Amino acid sequence: MMPTTPEYMRFLPEMILTITGILIMFLEAVLPDGKKTIFAPLSILGLAAAMIAAATSDPGTAFHDMLIVDTFGTFFRVLVIGVGILAVFSSSEYLTRENTPGGEFYALLIFSVMGQCVMVTANELIMIFIGLEISSIASYILAGYLREDPRNNESALKYFLLGSFATGFLLYGVSWIYGITGVTNLELVRHAIETPGFDSFALAGVAAALIFVGLGFKISAAPFQVWAPDVYQGAPAPVSAFLSVGPKAAAFAILLRIFLTAFGPIADRWTPFVWSCALATMIVGNFAALKQTNIKRMLAYSSIAHAGYVLVAVTAHSDTGAAAAMFYLAAYALTNIGAFAVVTYFARKGEQYVSIDDFAGLSQRQPMMAAMMTIFLLSLIGVPLTGGFFGKFYIFKSALDANLYWLTILGLLNSAVAAYYYLHILVVMYMKEPGESSENLPPVGFGLKVAVYASALGTLILGIFPGLILDYASRTVLK
Amino acid sequence: MTTLDLVLFLPLIGFLLMLVIPKDLSRMAALTISLAVFAASLALLAPYWFAYPTGYTFETNISWINYPPIHYHVGLDGLSLWLVLLSTFLTPIAVVVSWKYIDHRVKEYFAFLILLEFGLIGVFISIDLFLFYVFWELALVPMYFLIGIWGHDRRIYATVKFFLYTMAGSVLMLGAIIYLYNQTGTFDYNVIRNLIASGHLALTSRAEMLLFLAFFIAFAVKVPLFPLHTWLPDAHVEAPTAGSVMLASVMLKMGTYGLLRLCVPLFPNAAHQSAPWVNALAITGIIFGALVALVQPNMKKLVAYSSVSHLGFVVLGIFSFTQQGLDGAVYIMLAHGIATGALFVLVGFLYERRHSLEISAYGGVATAAPNLAIVFSITTLASIGLPMLSNFVGEYLVLQGAAQANFNYAVAAALGVILSACYMLWLYQRIFFGKPSESVTHHVFDLTPREWAAILPLLALMFWMGSFSQTFMPAITTQNAVILQQMQQPSQPVVARAPRRAASTLVSPPSASQEAR
């Protein structure tokens, strides 16, 4: 049976992204050097078109149920494409500054986003794997994009080695599932497990564990988090921003989809495991972040801690938990992209100024950038009227719904610990006198301005009118 | 839109306005805004002038977030009325006090001061628990910057400590609020209280105690109750004058207000069970605070520890569960706001002259600045609790209420009154009496007109509160009677305002996803 037009339409965002990516690679080869400034606008155009296509696509399945466009998928598709747009805005100047204004950066970024789109709408384990590979391979290259910088090389190599290892786990888990149930479609897997007479619960548990290990790496859950600080610190700042939100959001999307849909019936078996992972992730992330002096490294540990909060919502394994995780990931994406954009701006050529102490007196030299950074940090702390606050609120609410009292209490206390290291940046920016590092700050370029202001605005809007997104996310039914 | 909404949002509008006006105008703008807020807040007195309504006045209840149902539900009662007025009254004074003291990053400073007012007013008028939490945290941020940027040498340590203590306490309160929501389907304080009181929401005594503790710790940190008080002296010593004034006079009252308004009425059984150890901590705080104040070489630290002592009285009054105790507690909250606020203002004046907070740097100031000495002496006497001045009424009532609850409490707490006379009078003696040193005669001049303008309203209120307590008392008494009644009659019918499903769906949380299915 040939795919029908509506089925293709459900795949339209991915097609637009692929075409844009290939077009950029093609133009890279034929355009003269002077005209290469069009790549950024072109990428934005392609991503924006894909976003519109994703936002308006009809619910339903495509290609023999391999893809499913539902509330959940649409939400995440729009989210990862949005992250892509913000990443393009925040990296265009960075590339000029580092003298590498190549088109391949944008092409890779777009391919990575495309892979994430496939992941979040995949309804089938093989599709999930394919999407994950497309996204990851592009990300590995992005992490080492400045190939003459040793830090970039280290980052890319670590990311690649550990990433492929983890993908192996995932694939192994998938093959177990296929061996046990004979299917790879998530709903059919669920159906098989639910069928009376199914007796391989222990084997299904092993498969779930293998898949969790694979995805745990992608979301940097403890104890699979060790790569994250090195990679985020070494990669170019805009790439770190992208890696810490885009692939992570997509990985969480498939984690939720696999565990709530396929492994929903054996939730009793995996929740204790995820419970302890969530707690360990929060603790490792927060306590390690306390000690950091490099801001990129600190944000890396902070992103580990935030993954821990989202895992709390996964542990709740309910639709409210899924909605809370969706809201949280959206709020976190805006906040973190914004924070990294400020870091990108401040680091300047060659990323010289990435120590936290370098931010001394930023509020006096660039009051607007400091004010925006304040919004992002307050959101990361979880102060009311920012998106981060409602994210935490919904997550802990869903956890209490699921009677996870201890996890809630420990999570809340963790977020108080986290306040310390975020406050430290505020202290440095506002309460220390400016030093050598904040002299001769260049004006903020257009792209960065857009990225920073748009993220800050989004963070505040989510903090004042969270219903805008939550009402949509609450329609999610993962069964 | 009621007057109350206006009073709440004027500071927010003012704050946004201050971000865009030129730097030179920021002092004037802050003064204008804060005076306008104060003028508007006077209109809030109208319903309480001739009558003593027991319910809420100026109530607004509109939906803010659909799901979970969070409402912008605000209203005023006899308790919050005076605390709102205290905030709006002290903000212009804080602006005047900072007029010359703040010389760098002026615009940001005054903007934060106005934003602080917004948060404080919001805390005192929120009826929706979620809204309450939002304002509770929001008030923290401007104070964090006020101490951290414009404070003294160890300001960063002090401000981070202040933020973390409060934050650690309040996250548990957030957990408790979410738990209550999951059980009842609403954040509305009235509805939740009625559900608990009527037995529709049956809490096991263990759950009630845990919830009580979650709220209690958040408030006790803010009060601050011994042994959670250690952030306070640091924050006070390092804060700029206006920061100390707002912190001592209004922010600490957020804690005692929360205890009286939320913690005790929501969980009366747990509150009764905890009363012995809470009172023990309060009395320890009273005596410990006073003793430590006695040996402080630093003026601000002395006043800060005196706050620990005074606030101990407030907690003792609340946990005596008697009409007098509660009335006295509220009265001390207000009187302490005026008297200690004035003390911090005066200490700030001294600091601006001599640039030292060490008591030993002074001596003989009465010769150099006689008017300052007179004003300081009146404030000292008010703080000690001399009859006819503000604190006396409250302390007397608290001791009476405590004596009704347990006579030993009153005996122990009365020691604190005596000790307060010791440390305050000794402080006065060391600063103002004796022969002025060279540096004192050289630097310390008498009050300027601007300083008179800041201190006179405070002095007037000290006399007024001490002599005409009937101006303030009826509204407070009426409200406290309601609270006591709520505590002692655990069974009450659910009011009509309760949402339909609140009683029926105590178990399954309502969700938008169900409707969508």
Side-chain angles (χ1 to χ4, degrees):
Chain A
M1 190 178 69
M2 284 293 289
T4 57
T5 316
E7 288 185 289
Y8 279 118
M9 289 304 283
R10 284 177 198 128
F11 198 57
L12 189 59
E14 285 85 352
M15 292 196 283
I16 296 176
L17 290 174
T18 314
I19 292 169
T20 315
I22 293 174
L23 185 67
I24 289 175
M25 280 169 67
F26 174 72
L27 289 178
E28 164 83 15
V30 297
L31 277 186
D33 274 353
K35 297 235 171 136
K36 288 192 175 167
T37 48
I38 65 154
F39 292 137
L42 188 64
S43 318
I44 301 279
L45 212 64
L47 285 162
M51 194 169 185
I52 293 167
T56 54
S57 65
D58 284 340
T61 57
F63 311 136
H64 302 280
D65 284 354
M66 285 175 114
L67 291 180
I68 179 166
V69 175
D70 53 1
T71 320
F72 186 77
T74 303
F75 181 93
F76 275 106
R77 265 211 297 207
V78 172
L79 177 64
V80 293
I81 297 174
V83 166
I85 293 178
L86 288 173
V88 172
F89 271 117
S90 62
S91 46
S92 60
E93 266 150 76
Y94 181 87
L95 296 175
T96 323
R97 190 170 81 198
E98 307 293 339
N99 298 323
T100 52
E104 74 220 47
F105 182 91
Y106 299 110
L108 288 167
L109 192 73
I110 288 171
F111 287 139
S112 180
V113 170
M114 197 281 269
Q116 290 155 26
C117 286
V118 173
M119 282 159 83
V120 300
T121 48
N123 193 28
E124 210 245 7
L125 290 164
I126 301 296
M127 280 306 279
I128 287 176
F129 176 72
I130 291 173
L132 188 67
E133 278 300 88
I134 298 174
S135 164
S136 303
I137 290 172
S139 309
Y140 300 148
I141 309 173
L142 280 176
Y145 187 70
L146 304 177
R147 58 182 84 79
E148 277 154 34
D149 187 330
R151 291 175 298 181
N152 275 234
N153 284 320
E154 181 195 339
S155 162
L157 192 65
K158 275 196 178 144
Y159 195 27
F160 171 68
L161 286 178
L162 289 169
S164 357
F165 193 55
T167 316
F169 271 94
L170 179 74
L171 199 55
Y172 193 39
V174 171
S175 62
W176 273 64
I177 285 293
Y178 186 69
I180 299 163
T181 63
V183 285
T184 50
N185 181 295
L186 295 178
E187 280 155 35
L188 295 179
V189 171
R190 182 192 180 95
H191 185 72
I193 292 176
E194 276 175 337
T195 308
F198 180 81
D199 53 0
S200 317
F201 286 109
L203 296 180
V206 172
L210 288 168
I211 291 179
F212 185 81
V213 170
L215 292 177
F217 170 85
K218 299 288 171 192
I219 59 175
S220 65
F224 318 110
Q225 89 295 356
V226 279
W227 60 277
D230 292 340
V231 172
Y232 292 179
Q233 185 184 3
V239 174
S240 307
F242 177 71
L243 293 183
S244 68
V245 290
K248 199 173 254 188
F252 263 116
I254 55 178
L255 182 71
L256 284 164
R257 209 191 265 285
I258 295 176
F259 279 76
L260 266 56
T261 304
F263 296 140
I266 51 166
D268 293 347
R269 287 173 183 267
W270 56 261
T271 38
F273 188 57
V274 181
W275 190 99
S276 31
C277 260
L279 183 60
T281 311
M282 289 189 287
I283 290 177
V284 167
N286 281 322
F287 282 87
L290 288 176
K291 287 282 183 191
Q292 301 308 319
T293 53
N294 179 302
I295 192 153
K296 283 166 81 184
R297 214 173 162 79
M298 193 219 84
L299 285 173
Y301 278 112
S302 120
S303 103
I304 294 172
H306 285 276
Y309 301 130
V310 183
L311 278 177
V312 171
V314 178
T315 317
H317 68 91
S318 60
D319 284 340
T320 45
M326 288 157 82
F327 184 92
Y328 196 92
L329 288 166
Y332 176 70
L334 284 168
T335 307
N336 222 38
I337 284 257
F340 264 112
V342 176
V343 173
T344 307
Y345 161 72
F346 190 79
R348 276 160 285 171
K349 188 170 167 51
E351 300 203 358
Q352 304 167 49
Y353 300 106
V354 285
S355 148
I356 292 177
D357 292 333
D358 288 337
F359 279 71
L362 179 65
S363 66
Q364 295 176 49
R365 298 278 188 259
Q366 273 288 355
M368 275 317 277
M369 282 294 122
M372 296 300 117
M373 190 70 174
T374 307
I375 293 176
F376 301 134
L377 291 171
L378 291 179
S379 175
L380 289 170
I381 296 176
V383 171
L385 303 189
T386 60
F389 168 70
F390 276 105
K392 284 215 178 70
F393 170 73
Y394 292 136
I395 280 184
F396 289 120
K397 183 180 132 0
S398 70
L400 282 178
D401 269 339
N403 296 331
L404 302 168
Y405 298 114
W406 278 108
L407 196 57
T408 306
I409 292 174
L410 294 170
L412 284 169
L413 289 175
N414 250 290
S415 69
V417 172
Y420 179 79
Y421 56 85
Y422 295 125
L423 283 181
H424 180 60
I425 302 179
L426 281 183
V427 163
V428 172
M429 284 196 313
Y430 279 90
M431 301 167 197
K432 296 265 166 78
E433 285 307 308
E436 172 263 335
S437 58
S438 55
E439 276 165 21
N440 306 320
L441 274 170
V444 191
F446 172 75
L448 270 178
K449 249 187 199 158
V450 171
V452 170
Y453 290 154
S455 315
L457 192 68
T459 306
L460 287 179
I461 288 177
L462 286 188
I464 299 171
F465 305 106
L468 291 177
I469 283 205
L470 193 80
D471 288 347
Y472 186 80
S474 302
R475 287 184 223 143
T476 305
V477 183
L478 287 178
K479 278 282 144 59
Chain B
M1 172 114 172
T2 65
T3 320
L4 191 61
D5 299 326
L6 183 74
V7 172
L8 176 64
F9 283 105
L10 258 187
L12 182 66
I13 298 166
F15 167 72
L16 296 175
L17 210 65
M18 290 200 57
L19 294 179
V20 293
I21 59 163
K23 210 171 174 178
D24 306 337
L25 291 176
S26 48
R27 289 188 174 90
M28 250 355 252
L31 186 62
T32 317
I33 293 161
S34 56
L35 283 176
V37 177
F38 179 57
S41 69
L42 286 178
L44 300 177
L45 279 169
Y48 292 89
W49 206 245
F50 298 109
Y52 310 114
T54 49
Y56 294 104
T57 52
F58 302 104
E59 193 173 344
T60 310
N61 189 358
I62 49 174
S63 176
W64 171 25
I65 295 162
N66 290 332
Y67 173 74
I70 296 166
H71 287 239
Y72 170 75
H73 189 185
V74 297
L76 208 62
D77 61 21
L79 187 55
S80 36
L81 166 74
W82 296 114
L83 289 165
V84 169
L85 281 174
L86 186 70
S87 321
T88 60
F89 171 74
L90 283 165
T91 308
I93 290 178
V95 171
V96 173
V97 166
S98 318
W99 204 267
K100 285 232 176 87
Y101 180 81
I102 299 301
D103 50 5
H104 70 297
R105 303 167 79 178
V106 179
K107 182 167 143 180
E108 292 150 283
Y109 176 87
F110 286 102
F112 279 130
L113 207 53
I114 299 292
L115 184 64
L116 178 65
E117 186 178 19
F118 172 65
L120 292 172
I121 296 175
V123 167
F124 294 132
I125 64 174
S126 300
I127 299 173
D128 190 284
L129 286 180
F130 191 91
L131 195 67
F132 175 81
Y133 183 81
V134 167
F135 280 117
W136 176 273
E137 291 282 289
L138 203 66
L140 204 57
V141 177
M143 186 51 92
Y144 167 77
F145 282 106
L146 284 178
I147 299 177
I149 303 180
W150 294 276
H152 300 284
D153 296 340
R154 283 173 69 242
R155 61 183 188 275
I156 292 170
Y157 169 77
T159 199
V160 171
K161 191 170 175 183
F162 161 72
F163 197 102
L164 291 181
Y165 261 70
T166 315
M167 178 95 189
S170 56
V171 287
L172 292 177
M173 176 165 79
L174 179 64
I177 291 176
I178 299 174
Y179 180 86
L180 283 175
Y181 166 74
N182 280 348
Q183 299 293 312
T184 61
T186 175
F187 286 105
D188 196 288
Y189 163 75
N190 291 327
V191 179
I192 292 177
R193 210 204 62 74
N194 281 318
L195 285 172
I196 294 177
S198 62
H200 279 99
L201 171 58
L203 295 170
T204 60
S205 63
R206 181 159 164 272
E208 185 181 346
M209 183 52 91
L210 288 174
L211 287 170
F212 170 81
L213 283 177
F215 276 93
F216 181 80
I217 291 172
F219 297 140
V221 167
K222 204 77 173 184
V223 167
L225 187 68
F226 177 88
L228 301 170
H229 65 279
T230 58
W231 63 270
L232 182 78
D234 287 315
H236 267 313
V237 172
E238 302 305 325
T241 303
S244 296
V245 172
M246 295 308 282
L247 188 61
S249 302
V250 192
M251 278 197 110
L252 303 189
K253 308 320 184 288
M254 285 162 60
T256 48
Y257 172 82
L259 283 178
L260 182 55
R261 189 50 200 289
L262 303 179
C263 205
V264 170
L266 277 178
F267 315 110
N269 300 327
H272 275 292
Q273 275 173 36
S274 317
W277 61 261
V278 173
N279 281 327
L281 288 180
I283 291 168
T284 315
I286 293 174
I287 295 174
F288 170 84
L291 286 176
V292 178
L294 204 53
V295 296
Q296 285 308 315
N298 180 308
M299 292 191 287
K300 262 191 158 176
K301 223 168 194 167
L302 190 150
V303 182
Y305 275 107
S306 86
S307 289
V308 175
S309 180
H310 285 300
L311 271 291
F313 275 100
V314 178
V315 176
L316 181 65
I318 294 174
F319 281 83
S320 74
F321 307 125
T322 57
Q323 179 78 46
Q324 284 89 344
L326 260 59
D327 290 351
V330 177
Y331 212 80
I332 296 186
M333 280 156 73
L334 304 175
H336 173 265
I338 300 297
T340 307
L343 274 178
F344 276 119
V345 168
L346 292 168
V347 168
F349 289 168
L350 285 171
Y351 179 79
E352 281 178 62
R353 288 164 167 73
R354 181 73 182 76
H355 294 287
S356 172
L357 289 172
E358 297 300 308
I359 298 172
S360 56
Y362 295 88
V365 175
T367 321
N371 288 333
L372 182 59
I374 293 170
V375 172
F376 204 108
S377 71
I378 297 172
T379 312
T380 302
L381 295 174
S383 179
I384 293 171
L386 197 75
M388 302 293 285
L389 288 168
S390 51
N391 282 29
F392 171 73
V393 183
E395 281 178 10
Y396 172 77
L397 284 171
V398 166
L399 288 178
Q400 199 187 358
Q404 282 179 26
N406 184 336
F407 193 73
N408 295 327
Y409 292 163
V411 174
L415 271 178
V417 181
I418 301 170
L419 285 172
S420 82
C422 299
Y423 62 77
M424 284 311 296
L425 291 176
W426 193 32
L427 169 77
Y428 189 77
Q429 180 196 339
R430 282 178 291 171
I431 291 179
F432 288 93
F433 296 158
K435 194 168 157 7
S437 65
E438 183 93 343
S439 57
V440 167
T441 41
H442 200 252
H443 292 291
V444 180
F445 48 91
D446 218 338
L447 292 173
T448 65
R450 175 180 63 85
E451 290 170 342
W452 273 115
I455 200 72
L456 264 183
L458 291 167
L459 283 184
L461 263 180
M462 282 176 221
F463 281 109
W464 193 347
M465 288 190 72
S467 315
F468 305 99
S469 55
Q470 280 310 304
T471 318
F472 309 91
M473 223 29 145
I476 298 172
T477 311
T478 317
Q479 184 57 35
N480 283 337
V482 173
I483 293 176
L484 276 179
Q485 190 199 4
Q486 288 170 351
M487 288 194 60
Q488 276 146 15
Q489 291 186 343
S491 286
Q492 269 190 1
V494 183
V495 288
R497 221 179 2 230
R500 282 186 313 274
R501 60 150 192 279
S504 57
T505 60
L506 290 177
V507 188
S508 68
S511 73
S513 59
Q514 285 173 345
E515 285 151 33
R517 271 178 223 159

